[in-house]
Structure formats: structure tokens, C-alpha cells
Amino acid sequence: MPRSKKTPLEINLSDPQYYFNRELSWLEFNHRVLQEACNENSPLLERLKFLAIFSSNLDEFFMVRVAALKQQVEAKVSKLSPDGLTAVEQLESVSQRLRPLVAKQHQYFEKVIRPLLTRASIHILDYIDLNQEQRAYLQTYFEQQIFPVLTPLAVDPGHPFPHISNLSLNLAVVVKNPETDEELFARVKVPRVLPRFLPLPEQLSFTPNGVPAKWAGVPLEQAIAHNLESLFPGMNIQEYYPFRITRDSALELEEDDADDLLEAIEQELRKRRVGGSTVRLEIQPQTPESVRRRLMRELEVGENDVYENQGLLGLGSLMSFLSLPMPELKDTPWKSVIPPRLQKLGSFNSPNTESDFDFFAAIREQDLLVHHPYHSFSSTVLRFINDASRDPDVLAIKMTLYRTSGDSPIVNALIAAAENGKQVAVLVELKARFDEENNIYWARRLESVGVHVVYGLNGLKTHSKVVMVVRQEGDRIRRYVHIGTGNYNPKTARLYTDMGLFSCREDLAADLTDLFNYLTGYSRQRSYRQLLVAPVNMRDRTLALIRREITQTQSSNIPGRIVAKMNSLVDPQIILTLYEASRAGVQIDLIVRGMCSLRPQVPGISENIRVISIVGRFLEHSRIYYFHNLGEEEIYIGSADWMSRNLDRRVEAITPVRDPDLAKELEEILGITLADNCQAWELQSDGSYQKRGDALSKEDASAYPQTNSQKIFMQMALQSAGLA
């Protein structure tokens, strides 16, 4: 399609028709996740993993996004979304789009994945198909391990309907009193403290046909259901029906009224465990109308909140099968490598062992760029912090923690640094959704050893990923920094793609000093030398970078170019400005993993904008922003997506990458990602996504070599380490 630089028509770029709904766009992302489960080229347990992720993603979507829409309805909020929908209309659209996706997931599991598991000698058996020996084993297991933790709850005039906890799987049980012939209702919660799928012992692991199995077992709820007589002795069990609920789990925190933020969040977490209003009820189609209506009435949900799922409920539990010792059914394990420049400088037996390698000298020599999970997190980021904690010349360490692992070596290194007499200041973000409890634990641990712990700014989440190490070097002080796109979490660093920059440039170090003073003191810094910092200057600087491409394109014969990689793009002002850039002839490629409210390839509006999404083995999490600037390219990495919350309601940091060698590395990463024709999905102007490989005929596909960006990055890493 020709790339016109003319803008002959005045068009209202804020018109709702030019924006996709963010909630529906997120559902399209989760649909792409589901499609990975359908990828016949992937190992079986990896496909099962994507089915589980689809369910877990939906749980959070209901707990947060659907709950927020329901709150808007209750509050009678009249503001329309950028695509022109009310909250009621959005809820209706979500329901209409989601139901066929959920039906597809359950049908695919039952009709395709489950038979494939059977062929692979993994048998999820139904209790009714067990032989007597297997039933006897499970009955004994029930009596010894399950029965003691169960609490059957009657529902009658003397026993009100019990509170049902968030994401709990339950049995609605109907029993009959043989003396009065009265039917009674009860609820049994399926305990989370036990495995969702109960394995049979090796000697009993075989199918109903007697075929030996590598793994065989039954769902926990079926083992309970077939032993209900033990819970209701003397009663006649009439019927039982599983159900599962999802509750509003947003923290309702009035920070202005909270004298102690940590204590206030602990109180809110206690409320979350109880849960807010019910936003989803999952049942099976065979649930009779009487039970369905009773659950709806007691849980106060409407028809739009009820989802009928054929087969097992709560498929997120399928993730447990990834622990089976069956490597032939999984991706080949990936072992991250040491960045090539560091390999030449010393030994890396362990990030915790002494060696002749001087990390600080390497950073002084040249800025260092790391690309996780292809580059080792433990031998770079963790090594940096560990070395700083032990180095006698290090005076202080400052960092932000948004999410970290439950057994965090990062936190342990900070504790060691404090115990070694260094000044350690850590901003722990207590409002990191669903990690609040973990972060409270680490905050208290850090405080107990004398670390200066702060909890951020009132009304803002601190989402930036930054570390600064202050070091005495002779008669001068030098500051070393790490600015990243991902959390300081060694576990997710093996699963998420992220970038990080190490530097000791004075301008960056001075900016980070100002940023930490902004976070810990009363500084209200309004300008930064290099960093784009939200909510201070990031929005204005980002818009200025886009508008510079517009101006340069209009005033020269060189078309502007923007390439941006992020998780989500939903900010209306950014989108409108990108439309203006497209109309001016700027060529724009966007790599947006998740939500994208921008409508590409609309004639006269966005024909110069292409959007792809990469969904693969690793979760694409890095944020990279490239601007052509008439050949004087500028490229940035950092923590922020182009979302209103990132630009206005969070503390974020994005850094320019000035080293020309590292800038070229980032450009190569963007180029390889844009060329992906295996994992890339192209966003169409109607809001649907088309997988690139599927769009080619067999003849066309044979003419193009397969380009799987994540596999290429793995191969490049192995080659750089001399392992391929």
C-alpha cells in the first residue's frame, strides 16, 4: 500500500471507530495464548501449559477488569471508553466474545489434549471407571488424608449460605433425610491444601483396560464426591454438582487516610482473602435449574455472570502436570549463557563465588546490555548486586523492588550488604497486584536488618526497575547503575524476555540519584538529563519524539520511522499522535504482546502502521522504543508501556541507549522480531489477529525460511558462548 505523506482531509482522530476496546483486545491476546495450546508443533505438556495459562489469565481478568467494569456500573459512571462503549455495553461485549473462547478451551482439552495425554500414558481417569482395587486405595486415601480437612456446610434456616472464597472449587450437594423425605442443600469445599489431581501408586497406575500408565490418577473433587456418604452419614445422597466462583479482588485503599501504608495494605489483604462481590460463577451444563438458581441467588450474580463449562472446572490446575519427569513431552530445557564480553574477563562458576573477574571494571570499560532469558540473570544482575554487597569499596546500594521471588536471592544480597555495613535503601512497592503479601514479608525482613525501606509515593505505584551502586574509587565517588525492563526476580527472568543496561555514565547516575531522592524524600524533580521518568516527563518526551518524526518527515524527503515493542498500547493520546504520524508518512512498526487499542491499516488514518504480537515459549516483556531521527537514531529501553497508568499513575524509568554498539544490538533484536513468521500474529483492521504462517499458502511458505525469533535469539546466545 502506498505510503502517502499528504493529509488532504480533516479527520477527527478521536472518533471511537478508530479505537479497539481494551478489554476485548485483551481477550484477543488470551485467544492467542489458547491458540498456542492448539499448536501441533509444540510438545504436549507445553500445549497443556498454555491451556492452564489461558485459565489463570481469565481468573485475573475477572478479578480485576470485569470487577472494575461492574464497579463502574454500580457507581453509575457515565464516561465512555475511547471506543465509545458504556461499562454495561463492555460487560455485554466481553460476555459475548468470551463464551465461545471458553467453550473452545474446554472442548479442545476434552476432545484433543486429553486423548493425546492418554496416548502419552498420562491418564486423568474418571472415578466411575476405576476398578475395585483402585477404588479401595482411594477410599483409604480419602479416609486418612482428605476426610479430616473437609467441612460440610449445611444450608437451611439455621445455617445461612456460607461464604464461598475466591477461586474456590466446591460441590453443591443435595441430600434427602430418609425419615422426613425432605431434600436438603449443602456445600463442600474442595481443599486447596491437597493436590487437584490425586495420583495412583505405581502398582495401581493402569487404565480401565489394564494398560500400564506412566501416570494415572483422578480429580480430587471426584474422590470427594464418591465418598460423600462419609460426610453425611444417615442421609441419602441425591446429587452433587461442582461449581467455582471468582470474586472482585482489587484493593480498595484510601492512601490519604493511611498513616501506615504497610499496615493498611495488610488489612486490605485480609479483606481480599474473604473476597469482594462475586463476578463469575462457573458450573457444568448438567447442573439442574434449581441448583443453578439457588447459587445465583445466594451469590448475587446475574445470567451474564454464569459460565457453563463442559468437563473439569478450573483448568489452571493442569499446570501441575508440568512437574512430571517426562522431558520428551516438554521443550528442551534452556540454560542461559554469560554475555560474550563478560565471558572473556573471568570465571563464572557461580554468582556467589569469588573470582578474578571485576564486574565494575567491565562496566567502566563500556556500557553492558543484557537480554534475558538468553543472557544469564544470575551471572549479571544478581552477580552485580552480590558483588556490591561484599565489595569493601561499595558505600551504598539503592534499588526499587516491584516483584521478586519468594526465596529472593536479591533480597538476601541486600540483607548481606546491610550486615556488611553498607547503606542500603530499597523502595518496596507494596501495591504490586497479587504480590502484596510477598512484598510485605520482604519489607519487614529488610527493615529488621537496618535497610532503609520506603513504600513509594502517595497515589503512585513504583514500577521502575533500577539499581544504583555507590562506590569509593580512590579520591572519587563513582555510581554504577542498572536500568531494566523486567522485575528483579530470578525465576521470571528465566521465562520472560527482558533487557537491562549497566552503565556508570555520569548523566545517567545523576538522573538516578535524582529519581531516588524523588522516591524517598520530598524532591519534586521536574527535569532529567537522560531519563524519561513517569509521571514527570515521560508522556511529554514520548509525544515529542513521535512529533519530531512527523516534523522531519514533512520537512525532508526522508520518511520517518518508529519501531516500538511493549506489552500494551492503550493510551488514547499516544494512539492519536501515532495516527498523526502515519498520516504524515511516518512508517511505524509496533510489537505489542497484549492489549492494543490502536486500529492499524485504516486508509487515510493508519495505513502506515503495522502491529504484530509475539506469543511463544517465553513471555515477551521487554520494552524497546526506536526513533529514526533522520538517521541519527535514538533507541530507549525501560519499564513503561504506552498505557495511561504507566505514563500518569506510576513511577517509571526509560533510558536512552547511547553506546552505538549496544544500539545496533537493540536494532538487530527489533529487526529479528519483526521478521518472525512462526510466532507472530498480525493485527487486522477489524481487530482480529492472523498468524503470519497461516496466511501463506503451502507454495509461499516453502519459499520463505521459517523465522522463529525466540529460537534465533537462543541460537545466537549459544553461538556467542561457543556452544553451537
Side-chain angles (χ1 to χ4, degrees):
M1 184 173 292
R3 298 179 174 276
S4 172
K5 292 169 61 175
K6 299 179 181 179
T7 55
L9 299 175
E10 289 299 322
I11 297 175
N12 177 14
L13 295 178
S14 299
D15 192 313
Q17 68 175 308
Y18 301 134
Y19 296 81
F20 294 130
N21 182 267
R22 62 168 288 167
E23 318 303 347
L24 299 181
S25 181
W26 186 92
L27 291 181
E28 288 303 316
F29 161 66
N30 212 30
H31 184 207
R32 297 194 292 281
V33 171
L34 180 58
Q35 289 298 98
E36 285 301 302
C38 305
N39 185 351
E40 296 179 359
N41 296 320
S42 295
L44 178 57
L45 289 182
E46 302 297 333
R47 297 171 68 180
L48 192 71
K49 175 187 73 177
F50 280 107
L51 275 178
I53 292 173
F54 177 88
S55 285
S56 300
N57 284 350
L58 272 189
D59 288 345
E60 185 170 333
F61 178 74
F62 273 93
M63 287 189 288
V64 178
R65 298 305 311 166
V66 171
L69 290 173
K70 285 180 166 290
Q71 289 174 5
Q72 291 180 39
V73 173
E74 291 172 8
K76 299 182 179 178
V77 174
S78 58
K79 183 180 178 181
L80 303 181
S81 62
D83 60 311
L85 297 181
T86 66
V88 171
E89 290 170 331
Q90 290 180 77
L91 286 170
E92 180 62 33
S93 297
V94 164
S95 177
Q96 291 179 0
R97 179 68 184 107
L98 185 53
R99 290 179 190 282
L101 291 183
V102 174
K104 177 180 179 180
Q105 179 208 21
H106 282 266
Q107 183 178 33
Y108 197 79
F109 171 67
E110 294 293 340
K111 302 295 185 184
V112 178
I113 296 297
R114 201 161 172 175
L116 289 174
L117 290 171
T118 298
R119 265 186 246 166
S121 198
I122 300 172
H123 298 271
I124 304 174
L125 303 173
D126 290 320
Y127 198 96
I128 58 174
D129 294 329
L130 301 180
N131 64 28
Q132 289 301 317
E133 193 177 9
Q134 291 169 325
R135 288 192 181 205
Y137 167 80
L138 284 175
Q139 184 172 355
T140 301
Y141 183 90
F142 174 85
E143 293 169 354
Q144 296 177 351
Q145 303 291 331
I146 303 176
F147 180 78
V149 300
L150 295 180
T151 304
L153 296 174
V155 179
D156 56 33
H159 301 86
F161 194 86
H163 178 83
I164 311 294
S165 56
N166 184 35
L167 300 182
S168 63
L169 181 61
N170 307 269
L171 295 177
V173 183
V174 178
V175 301
K176 181 178 286 189
N177 186 329
E179 296 178 358
T180 64
D181 214 30
E182 179 185 10
E183 282 197 346
L184 304 168
F185 184 87
R187 171 257 188 165
V188 178
K189 180 179 179 179
V190 178
R192 297 179 186 173
V193 294
L194 296 172
R196 171 69 191 282
F197 298 98
L198 302 177
L200 291 164
E202 184 177 356
Q203 66 272 20
L204 296 178
S205 292
F206 44 80
T207 69
N209 297 328
V211 178
K214 294 181 180 178
W215 185 96
V218 299
L220 174 59
E221 64 270 25
Q222 290 190 17
I224 296 172
H226 286 271
N227 287 278
L228 287 173
E229 293 83 358
S230 300
L231 294 172
F232 304 97
M235 293 287 180
N236 294 330
I237 308 299
Q238 299 297 104
E239 51 193 2
Y240 63 87
Y241 301 97
F243 70 95
R244 184 174 184 267
I245 74 160
T246 313
R247 291 187 179 275
D248 178 348
S249 294
L251 293 183
E252 297 181 4
L253 193 67
E254 295 294 339
E255 292 184 55
D256 291 336
D257 299 330
D259 295 328
D260 186 330
L261 183 60
L262 186 136
E263 183 178 336
I265 289 181
E266 284 184 316
Q267 292 174 354
E268 285 299 314
L269 286 175
R270 285 192 285 271
K271 294 179 185 177
R272 176 189 281 173
R273 293 188 192 103
V274 175
S277 59
T278 307
V279 293
R280 177 177 56 165
L281 168 63
E282 296 174 88
I283 60 175
Q284 293 179 329
Q286 57 268 36
T287 304
E289 190 66 16
S290 59
V291 174
R292 175 194 179 103
R293 288 294 168 191
R294 179 158 202 166
L295 291 173
M296 290 175 61
R297 182 177 68 253
E298 300 287 1
L299 295 169
E300 298 181 335
V301 298
E303 281 294 341
N304 253 5
D305 305 316
V306 181
Y307 284 77
E308 294 186 356
N309 301 328
Q310 186 66 54
L312 297 173
L313 302 183
L315 294 184
S317 302
L318 295 172
M319 190 66 79
S320 62
F321 287 98
L322 269 292
S323 64
L324 290 177
M326 303 176 74
E328 70 278 8
L329 300 180
K330 306 176 191 177
D331 286 328
T332 303
W334 167 248
K335 183 173 176 56
S336 303
V337 306
I338 312 302
R341 187 156 70 85
L342 297 184
Q343 292 175 38
K344 302 173 184 176
L345 299 177
S347 62
F348 274 89
N349 295 326
S350 165
N352 296 312
T353 59
E354 296 293 338
S355 75
D356 57 358
F357 175 70
D358 186 340
F359 206 112
F360 299 110
I363 299 173
R364 287 196 301 274
E365 177 186 307
Q366 184 186 6
D367 286 0
L368 173 66
L369 186 73
V370 289
H371 189 190
H372 309 300
Y374 313 107
H375 291 154
S376 168
F377 180 89
S378 62
S379 296
T380 55
V381 177
L382 181 55
R383 173 68 181 261
F384 175 60
I385 298 172
N386 268 325
D387 282 3
S389 73
R390 298 189 301 265
D391 188 331
D393 294 327
V394 168
L395 306 177
I397 302 173
K398 302 181 181 183
M399 76 177 300
T400 58
L401 275 179
Y402 187 72
R403 301 185 195 274
T404 190
S405 56
D407 54 347
S408 176
I410 295 283
V411 176
N412 291 332
L414 295 172
I415 291 172
E419 291 173 340
N420 288 334
K422 306 182 190 310
Q423 179 169 303
V424 182
V426 181
L427 188 142
V428 178
E429 181 46 76
L430 298 181
K431 302 185 291 290
R433 184 179 292 145
F434 302 121
D435 265 356
E436 299 96 342
E437 196 163 2
N438 190 46
N439 287 0
I440 287 173
Y441 169 77
W442 286 122
R444 293 201 185 281
R445 279 284 310 277
L446 289 166
E447 285 179 324
S448 71
V449 296
V451 171
H452 300 295
V453 179
V454 293
Y455 305 124
L457 302 174
N458 190 24
L460 299 173
K461 281 187 181 181
T462 300
H463 190 250
S464 56
K465 328 294 185 185
V466 292
V467 181
M468 183 169 69
V469 172
V470 182
R471 194 169 187 263
Q472 182 78 50
E473 297 180 354
D475 59 355
R476 66 166 293 180
I477 297 289
R478 195 189 303 269
R479 293 166 293 188
Y480 297 82
V481 304
H482 172 267
I483 304 169
T485 70
N487 299 308
Y488 292 109
N489 186 327
K491 292 182 178 178
T492 57
R494 295 194 293 268
L495 304 172
Y496 294 9
T497 71
D498 274 304
M499 310 298 307
L501 177 72
F502 292 94
S503 178
C504 60
R505 283 170 36 205
E506 275 300 311
D507 50 4
L508 273 183
D511 272 355
L512 246 65
T513 299
D514 289 340
L515 176 59
F516 278 111
N517 290 341
Y518 172 67
L519 291 170
T520 63
Y522 288 118
S523 166
R524 287 299 175 261
Q525 187 83 14
R526 301 309 304 171
S527 63
Y528 290 85
R529 302 155 189 82
Q530 294 290 321
L531 289 181
L532 279 61
V533 175
V536 180
N537 68 348
M538 186 179 291
R539 176 181 287 280
D540 290 343
R541 290 279 300 277
T542 301
L543 291 171
L545 289 167
I546 299 172
R547 288 171 179 151
R548 185 181 65 186
E549 295 295 317
I550 296 174
T551 301
Q552 292 172 344
T553 299
Q554 291 173 332
S555 61
S556 72
N557 291 321
I558 302 175
R561 178 147 169 77
I562 297 170
V563 182
K565 182 179 185 295
M566 69 202 83
N567 297 335
S568 299
L569 169 56
V570 298
D571 182 75
Q573 188 179 21
I574 295 285
I575 294 173
L576 185 147
T577 311
L578 290 171
Y579 286 156
E580 292 174 350
S582 173
R583 299 188 77 211
V586 179
Q587 301 177 29
I588 302 170
D589 281 292
L590 303 174
I591 306 162
V592 185
R593 184 196 76 206
M595 294 180 294
C596 181
S597 295
L598 178 147
R599 186 185 293 270
Q601 300 292 294
V602 177
I605 303 295
S606 56
E607 68 264 40
N608 290 327
I609 304 178
R610 294 159 300 275
V611 181
I612 67 168
S613 171
I614 303 290
V615 180
R617 171 177 180 171
F618 303 123
L619 182 74
E620 292 293 331
H621 193 255
S622 57
R623 290 91 165 185
I624 309 172
Y625 301 99
Y626 166 92
F627 301 90
H628 182 253
N629 191 28
L630 290 177
E632 299 292 325
E633 294 106 331
E634 290 186 10
I635 196 159
Y636 299 77
I637 66 169
S639 58
D641 296 313
W642 283 349
M643 301 178 70
S644 301
R645 71 182 188 190
N646 297 92
L647 300 171
D648 303 326
R649 301 190 299 279
R650 290 186 172 187
V651 178
E652 305 273 13
I654 287 178
T655 180
V657 177
R658 298 299 189 200
D659 185 291
D661 293 335
L662 304 187
K664 289 297 181 186
E665 283 186 38
L666 287 169
E667 289 178 37
E668 183 181 25
I669 288 169
L670 290 175
I672 291 170
T673 305
L674 288 172
D676 193 307
N677 58 14
C678 294
Q679 301 174 117
W681 296 76
E682 291 189 345
L683 176 57
Q684 310 298 305
S685 60
D686 63 357
S688 64
Y689 282 79
Q690 186 171 47
K691 200 165 190 180
R692 275 185 173 166
D694 296 343
L696 297 173
S697 66
K698 289 185 179 180
E699 293 77 12
D700 291 336
S702 62
Y704 292 94
Q706 285 198 337
T707 302
N708 183 314
S709 57
Q710 293 186 353
K711 287 185 178 179
I712 290 174
F713 294 137
M714 286 190 282
Q715 187 67 21
M716 290 170 60
L718 292 173
Q719 288 173 346
S720 72
L723 300 173

